[in-house]
Amino acid sequence: MSFLRAWLAVTLSTLAALTAASATSAYAQGRIADAENALRTGRYENALELFSDLTREEPESPRAARGRAQTLAEVGRYEDAAEAARLFIEQNPGSPELWNTLGEVLYAVGDRDGAAAAFGSAIEGRASDEMEARLHLAVLRYDRGDVSEAMREFDRFIDVYNQDSGSLSSNDLTAVATAVRYLGREDWQLFKDALRAYDEAIAADPGNLRPRVRVGELFLEKYNSQDASSSFQDVLALNPSHPRAQLGMARLLRFDGKPGALELVGKAIETNPHLVAAHTFAAELLLELEDFEAADEAAERALAVNPASLEALSVLAASRYLQGDQRGFVDLRNRVLALNPRYAELYNKLAELAARNRLYFQAVEFANQAVELDSRAWRGYGLMGLNQLRTGAIAEGARNLEIAFEGDPYDIWTKNTLDLLDTFDGYDETRTSRFVITVDHRESQLLSLYFADLAEEAYDRLAELYGFRPDPPIRIEVFRNHADFSVRTVGLVGFGALGVSFGPVIAMDAPSARQIGAYNWGSTLWHELAHTFHLGMTDQRVPRWFSEGLAVFEERRARQGWGDDVTPGFLTAYLQDRILPVAELNNGFARPAYPEQLIFSYYEASLVCELIQTEGGPQALVDMLTAYRDGLSTDEALRRVLGSGVDEFGERFFAYLDERFAGPLAAMRPDRELSERPSKEQIARWAD
């Protein structure tokens, strides 16, 4: 009896211990799930608190330790994330877990050797996230320029998927999809397989946001704005604070020409102050505003986190180039190529940012360097072709776009442009001594005569005013369909402008592309040809705000009733302090804060030009263009031409507005009695 009782006591004690352990494990698993849900939904402080408690209570749990490190990394606390990963590795020397996570963090801060060693340890130890480690190691090799070895590693992911896709986790499928996406540079059909694998990853774990973000970035890479937006919005619906998704949406806003991109980047940086990609993109946006000092600061912030960031170094190199700092540009270019001798994206980024700053000929040269460095740099062929079209090299541009399309037919911008070029067979060319005018053959017999006469008149008038004659022939493309004009300009339909000048090439709507009475094609042609003069006189270095204002000013000088004029809305905005200072006028064109600000900025910029001529005489506007050609900033140009900087001139400009519109402004001020306020019709008559 005593033996039986002893045996029963031991058995019952063992069962109780097992039951307690099982309950504890279930409880811990539930808490980890809660912590992971907090991370996925953007409740980062809550997630960090939960994961920190779990790692103290269960230091041997890789899931808890990984979650804590990933949360710290998500909010930019990379040093703390690396320390958290190392702590687990030290406390669990036999475990291969957390090596991949450590490698991700080290790579984010530019420690490529340390990252490679960490990924290798995860692979050697057969960690649960071994597939991710293999992907990251292959990407690292690719980014170092070891493309052949990287592509062999990427190719192995297809074998893994084909052998046993059913057992792969969501993260494993995401790794497969990303590897196949890289392989798409050699076989564009694989982009479809990458998208399919991403979809499978999402289906395997709908709460896993990583594949959703990667899908959005893939669509954005192919200029597919609508599908990219859907992907990023899906992420933000689950986690409104997801920094990569916020950055993706900011890129979309910039691509679609909508306001708010820089503000949305700011939100991503609020969540992760050390997000290198966000600071780099902010630098790009600031370069488009021609705010070079702020752009440099943003790029330097990115490099302070990751000195080996190829993207940040490339953007900073572009900034140096745009500022005329050749020595700084060469130094940064050499730093990039030392890190990756085959990094064609350096030249693609230079081409893209040069074009966004109207340096189209230079963009062609940079894109050509990209394809010389990497014959499979399909984006380089596309950028070269698009900018050749902008500089009038139509046949050469078409050939390079065909090469780009053969290598990557999913690039929507390239496809749309090639489709547009196919329609050029239906256009007739009319040649004059200075112009090649292309018009739809259904309208060319009539329109080409009017366009030719007005273009020649405008050329003579502008040449006399500026003492400059752009080299002929200047190509004028007149589109019967506004969607075709939009594709010619930005690669997609929906562009709101009426015309655009690339310098040697002008593209614009035909009268039939707009409603009768809603479009003055003559005024538009004069405006765009004025840009051709401004760009040519300054070697393409005139700020956008000044060129736009001067073109509107030229419209008004050309014909009575042409060009923008004062409106009640403009005066109301002025009274409400919503008219930009002269020093910030580029923002009104590149980053309007409200819908009407773009239109108001055109008119305001024309008044700035009017005041410059009033103060400096007939030659002052030409002298401003000469100053820009010499590389001077607006502040420096105004000091040379008028003897005062931009801030002082800006104060005089607002005083000029007060005087010029004294009557209607006095009538509109809020301190007048309501009964004394004039009607909009009265204000319009005063303005006339």
Side-chain angles (χ1 to χ4, degrees):
M1 289 292 293
S2 61
F3 173 78
L4 180 59
R5 281 196 298 273
W7 179 84
L8 284 172
V10 171
T11 301
L12 291 172
S13 175
T14 301
L15 287 172
L18 290 172
T19 301
S22 176
T24 301
S25 177
Y27 175 66
Q29 294 297 317
R31 292 177 65 201
I32 289 177
D34 289 342
E36 290 173 340
N37 184 62
L39 171 58
R40 289 182 170 189
T41 55
R43 292 177 287 118
Y44 299 117
E45 290 186 7
N46 182 221
L48 186 57
E49 181 181 357
L50 290 170
F51 279 127
S52 297
D53 289 344
L54 284 163
T55 54
R56 284 192 294 270
E57 296 167 11
E58 297 190 39
E60 74 287 350
S61 169
R63 189 174 165 189
R66 183 180 292 113
R68 181 167 184 265
Q70 289 176 341
T71 304
L72 290 165
E74 189 81 345
V75 296
R77 293 172 58 180
Y78 297 128
E79 290 185 8
D80 293 338
E83 182 181 347
R86 288 193 180 100
L87 179 61
F88 176 86
I89 292 168
E90 292 170 2
Q91 292 177 337
N92 301 273
S95 173
E97 305 299 332
L98 271 290
W99 277 113
N100 173 64
T101 301
L102 176 60
E104 289 183 298
V105 176
L106 294 176
Y107 198 54
V109 297
D111 183 358
R112 304 202 294 182
D113 291 337
F119 295 141
S121 295
I123 295 167
E124 183 180 355
R126 305 296 299 273
S128 60
D129 52 3
E130 176 191 356
M131 286 275 286
E132 295 175 69
R134 289 188 180 278
L135 171 71
H136 295 143
L137 187 57
V139 170
L140 191 155
R141 287 171 175 159
Y142 186 91
D143 288 345
R144 279 179 159 166
D146 190 359
V147 176
S148 297
E149 179 59 30
M151 298 305 281
R152 282 192 289 271
E153 290 294 327
F154 291 138
D155 193 62
R156 293 190 178 99
F157 282 79
I158 296 179
D159 296 333
V160 172
Y161 177 84
N162 289 336
Q163 289 169 5
D164 194 13
S165 63
S167 66
L168 298 179
S169 68
S170 176
N171 284 335
D172 291 340
L173 289 165
T174 301
V176 170
T178 304
V180 175
R181 175 180 169 184
Y182 275 89
L183 292 169
R185 70 177 246 121
E186 296 186 348
D187 180 0
W188 58 265
Q189 299 273 9
L190 291 173
F191 286 124
K192 293 185 291 186
D193 294 335
L195 187 58
R196 185 182 307 114
Y198 280 131
D199 287 342
E200 290 179 17
I202 294 169
D205 183 358
N208 186 1
L209 302 186
R210 182 172 292 190
R212 295 180 186 271
V213 172
R214 298 292 189 277
V215 168
E217 292 170 343
L218 175 58
F219 282 131
L220 187 56
E221 180 184 298
K222 305 306 176 188
Y223 303 106
N224 186 337
S225 175
Q226 184 174 353
D227 288 334
S229 178
S230 296
S231 298
F232 291 132
Q233 292 288 6
D234 286 345
V235 174
L236 293 172
L238 295 169
N239 179 354
S241 301
H242 195 286
R244 285 275 296 265
Q246 289 174 327
L247 174 59
M249 287 301 298
R251 291 182 182 278
L252 278 174
L253 290 176
R254 184 255 213 134
F255 179 71
D256 291 338
K258 296 179 180 178
L262 200 54
E263 290 75 12
L264 198 49
V265 171
K267 290 185 178 180
I269 292 173
E270 283 180 16
T271 302
N272 183 345
H274 298 121
L275 186 60
V276 171
H279 288 295
T280 302
F281 184 61
E284 293 186 41
L285 294 174
L286 291 163
L287 284 180
E288 293 171 20
L289 294 174
E290 298 169 28
D291 189 345
F292 298 114
E293 182 178 353
D296 287 353
E297 290 174 358
E300 293 286 5
R301 282 193 290 272
L303 291 169
V305 178
N306 181 355
S309 170
L310 298 172
E311 295 83 0
L313 287 167
S314 298
V315 172
L316 190 57
S319 180
R320 294 285 189 268
Y321 180 83
L322 294 171
Q323 294 177 73
D325 180 2
Q326 185 65 17
R327 178 178 295 181
F329 163 69
V330 170
D331 176 64
L332 286 158
R333 181 196 63 189
N334 292 342
R335 284 173 61 184
V336 171
L337 296 178
L339 290 166
N340 181 350
R342 297 190 60 187
Y343 190 61
E345 275 302 303
L346 162 67
Y347 293 111
N348 283 337
K349 184 58 67 178
L350 289 166
E352 179 185 350
L353 291 174
R356 287 185 177 274
N357 283 269
R358 301 170 299 285
L359 301 176
Y360 305 113
F361 289 97
Q362 293 88 332
V364 171
E365 291 302 316
F366 282 133
N368 185 58
Q369 289 176 276
V371 301
E372 286 181 351
L373 196 61
D374 182 356
S375 62
R376 294 182 182 273
W378 310 121
R379 195 165 89 92
Y381 286 107
L383 287 167
M384 183 158 52
L386 288 168
N387 286 291
Q388 285 171 323
L389 295 182
R390 291 165 173 168
T391 58
I394 306 301
E396 297 89 337
R399 281 197 295 272
N400 281 312
L401 287 171
E402 290 286 0
I403 295 172
F405 184 76
E406 289 173 9
D408 181 7
Y410 290 113
D411 183 327
I412 291 177
W413 195 331
T414 297
K415 180 184 184 303
N416 286 348
T417 305
L418 285 172
D419 289 344
L420 174 63
L421 291 177
D422 288 341
T423 70
F424 277 16
D425 290 339
Y427 285 70
D428 294 335
E429 284 191 358
T430 299
R431 292 181 176 268
T432 71
S433 60
R434 298 164 178 145
F435 297 95
V436 175
I437 302 170
T438 66
V439 184
D440 187 295
H441 71 273
R442 290 167 289 184
E443 301 180 327
S444 64
Q445 191 170 1
L446 177 64
L447 288 185
S448 59
L449 298 175
Y450 287 103
F451 272 78
D453 287 346
L454 186 61
E456 291 289 348
E457 177 192 343
Y459 189 102
D460 288 335
R461 176 71 180 278
L462 294 168
E464 181 182 355
L465 286 169
Y466 293 119
F468 173 80
R469 307 178 81 83
D471 292 334
I474 299 168
R475 181 181 174 90
I476 301 175
E477 298 174 357
V478 184
F479 292 96
R480 194 166 186 261
N481 186 326
H482 178 72
D484 288 343
F485 161 70
S486 183
V487 168
R488 178 67 165 99
T489 308
V490 298
L492 300 170
V493 299
F495 185 56
L498 302 171
V500 65
S501 174
F502 299 113
V505 174
I506 292 171
M508 59 182 290
D509 279 336
S512 56
R514 296 283 177 166
Q515 289 184 344
I516 296 175
Y519 172 43
N520 186 332
W521 68 266
S523 182
T524 299
L525 175 59
W526 202 288
H527 180 108
E528 299 307 333
L529 188 56
H531 284 322
T532 296
F533 276 78
H534 306 155
L535 291 169
M537 289 181 67
T538 61
D539 295 333
Q540 313 283 116
R541 294 186 181 277
V542 59
R544 182 179 176 187
W545 76 265
F546 187 79
S547 184
E548 294 293 359
L550 190 49
V552 173
F553 184 62
E554 293 299 353
E555 289 181 70
R556 289 207 295 272
R557 290 206 284 192
R559 297 283 195 280
Q560 186 176 2
W562 283 13
D564 294 332
D565 208 341
V566 69
T567 64
F570 177 85
L571 295 176
T572 300
Y574 178 60
L575 289 172
Q576 295 173 345
D577 294 326
R578 294 193 298 145
I579 296 299
L580 290 167
V582 175
E584 300 175 17
L585 252 177
N586 251 1
N587 290 0
F589 294 95
R591 191 163 57 101
Y594 54 93
E596 301 87 358
Q597 190 172 57
L598 177 61
I599 299 300
F600 293 163
S601 296
Y602 274 95
Y603 182 58
E604 180 187 358
S606 75
L607 295 178
V608 171
C609 293
E610 186 178 287
L611 180 58
I612 290 173
Q613 179 170 279
T614 299
E615 291 189 350
Q619 186 65 19
L621 294 171
V622 175
D623 291 343
M624 287 290 294
L625 292 171
T626 303
Y628 287 129
R629 182 203 62 198
D630 294 343
L632 271 61
S633 66
T634 293
D635 184 73
E636 293 166 334
L638 286 169
R639 290 183 186 279
R640 176 194 283 187
V641 176
L642 299 180
S644 57
V646 67
D647 292 332
E648 183 181 342
F649 174 81
E651 292 177 4
R652 296 202 305 273
F653 174 69
F654 283 139
Y656 173 71
L657 292 184
D658 286 335
E659 179 181 354
R660 194 180 194 281
F661 302 112
L665 287 173
M668 296 174 68
R669 293 195 188 278
D671 56 351
R672 291 177 61 90
E673 293 295 330
L674 183 63
S675 60
E676 298 178 28
R677 292 181 183 175
S679 66
K680 290 183 179 179
E681 290 76 13
Q682 288 175 308
I683 295 171
R685 284 199 297 274
W686 285 334
D688 291 338

